[in-house]
Amino acid sequence: MRALTVLSGGMGGARFLQGLLHGVREGLLPGVDRDAVVTVVANTADDIWVHGLKVCPDLDTVMYTLGEGIDPERGWGRREETWSVKEELAAYGVEPTWFGLGDRDVATHLVRTQMLEAGYPLSAITTALCRRWLEPTLGEGLRLLPMTDDRVETHVVVADPDEPSGRRAIHFQEYWVRLRASVPAETVVVVGLDQSTPGPGVLEAIGEADLVVLPPSNPVVSVGTILGVPGIRDALRATAAPVVGLSPIVGGTHVRGMAEQMLRSIGVEVSARGVGLHYGARSAAGVLDGWLVDSRDADALPALHEAGLAAAAVPLMMSDPAATAAMAAAAVDLVTR
Ligand code: GDP
Ligand code: CA
């Protein structure tokens, strides 16, 4: 196999990609060439305009992680970051104060915003930014594509007794960063999704892949939004490549993040089985051929098999690139053996 396509969110997706690339380069993935090209279709529904800057958290997390610029403890933003811009804005009393814009990170958003204002689409801007982060180490081996060039924004509806309706829609970043996903999400509304079109190269990357992977990213606000771009779900259903996914839910909850809150908001059982059945088998109107669950969720296998999925249970904790490469190898094996 020479072409792998991964539909990714931010932290879970980026960590998986690190391990996947390690596995490709070390020849650890059965049937995958060491010089295979990995194309990442990244979620852009987390994007937010803040202080006049266009911020794309998932694109940046993937780019910084694979380019070794990420802060490894936080899992987002730049390593060796300083926060003078944020402090100065707060001193002026400028809202929002809850969004973390680091000084080094600001440069990325300035470049992106200026290029947007000059008329470049997000896809071309992302390619330009990746010239710094990915080309020197990964060359042509990795392509990072936004799911769409159109503006799409996830909003979360939460209870608010001060509103006449008793509820309020807030930007996904406000739910996650300011509220820490600590209150229930009633629903998720993805503004602009139905009118969006796939970014350049996205449908081709799915249609011409040798393998498509759904990493352990958030099934609602990362993979769910990518699948919601009109045309992408159909491309996944139609591709000749096998499609395999890895569960972000382990032992009944997310490992980190807020997949649990998001799954509840759309009425999907918070379990490895629930997410696998939610994606569904391609043989039954879904998007997957295979679904990998963690060893401790092995009791989900009979129901997954019954739903028409190839399924297996292996350790799914992305503790380091070697462990993650082993997960990727098991995923490849599941749908190609
Ligand atoms: P975000 O955009 O930063 O939220 O990142 P993603 O959507 O790509 O991934 C978030 C998901 O990764 C969370 O819902 C977690 O359940 C999942 N996750 C994080 N670490 C691990 C891990 O070590 N193993 C597994 N199986 N899932 C993980
Ligand atoms: Ca995200």
Side-chain angles (χ1 to χ4, degrees), residues 9-47:
M11 287 196 236
R15 228 176 234 244
F16 177 77
L17 285 161
Q18 235 178 359
L20 177 77
L21 285 168
H22 174 72
V24 171
R25 299 293 172 260
E26 297 296 319
L28 303 172
L29 308 186
V32 177
D33 296 0
R34 282 176 188 242
D35 59 353
V37 174
V38 176
T39 302
V40 181
V41 175
N43 174 48
T44 58
D46 292 8
D47 295 7

Side-chain angles (χ1 to χ4, degrees), residues 83-205:
W83 303 92
S84 302
V85 171
K86 185 177 189 229
E87 286 158 20
E88 291 294 315
L89 286 166
Y92 282 113
V94 179
E95 294 288 340
T97 50
W98 47 264
F99 195 80
L101 272 188
D103 299 337
R104 288 173 183 268
D105 200 21
V106 160
T108 302
H109 312 318
L110 281 168
V111 173
R112 177 184 292 126
T113 305
Q114 284 176 337
M115 288 187 74
L116 275 176
E117 281 165 3
Y120 291 95
L122 183 62
S123 50
I125 298 167
T126 303
T127 302
L129 293 169
C130 286
R131 240 166 249 144
R132 169 179 175 196
W133 291 106
L134 304 182
E135 250 181 47
T137 48
L138 297 166
E140 312 274 286
L142 191 114
R143 298 193 306 150
L144 179 57
L145 310 179
M147 67 184 198
T148 179
D149 277 335
D150 300 322
R151 183 167 176 172
V152 173
E153 273 182 18
T154 301
H155 289 239
V156 177
V157 177
V158 296
D160 185 347
D162 295 339
E163 293 289 326
S165 65
R167 55 181 56 84
R168 188 161 68 96
I170 56 176
H171 192 286
F172 171 76
Q173 296 297 343
E174 185 171 354
Y175 181 72
W176 175 226
V177 181
R178 187 173 74 81
L179 298 181
R180 302 261 151 231
S182 59
V183 300
E186 292 186 6
T187 43
V188 172
V189 181
V190 191
V191 181
L193 189 62
D194 293 345
Q195 293 79 42
S196 66
T197 53
V202 168
L203 296 182
E204 293 80 357

Side-chain angles (χ1 to χ4, degrees), residues 35-92:
D35 59 353
V37 174
V38 176
T39 302
V40 181
V41 175
N43 174 48
T44 58
D46 292 8
D47 295 7
I48 186 168
W49 282 89
V50 56
H51 303 304
L53 299 176
K54 171 80 164 178
V55 181
C56 302
D58 289 1
L59 284 172
D60 288 350
T61 296
V62 170
M63 185 173 81
Y64 291 157
T65 300
L66 300 181
E68 317 234 313
I70 198 85
D71 181 294
E73 271 77 56
R74 257 184 288 123
W76 58 271
R78 293 290 314 282
R79 64 168 80 224
E80 288 144 32
E81 188 57 285
T82 55
W83 303 92
S84 302
V85 171
K86 185 177 189 229
E87 286 158 20
E88 291 294 315
L89 286 166
Y92 282 113

Side-chain angles (χ1 to χ4, degrees), residues 269-294:
E269 180 187 277
V270 184
S271 68
R273 181 186 63 175
V275 178
L277 298 179
H278 168 65
Y279 285 140
R282 289 209 290 176
S283 56
V287 295
L288 291 175
D289 299 311
W291 183 240
L292 215 51
V293 304
D294 186 81

Side-chain angles (χ1 to χ4, degrees), residues 220-242:
V220 184
V221 293
S222 294
V223 177
T225 47
I226 299 172
L227 293 177
V229 176
I232 293 192
R233 195 185 168 84
D234 289 344
L236 222 59
R237 287 192 42 73
T239 183

Side-chain angles (χ1 to χ4, degrees), residues 19 22-23 28-29 246 292 314-315 320-332:
H22 174 72
L28 303 172
L29 308 186
L246 298 91
L292 215 51
V314 299
D320 57 52
T324 311
M327 288 165 50
V332 174

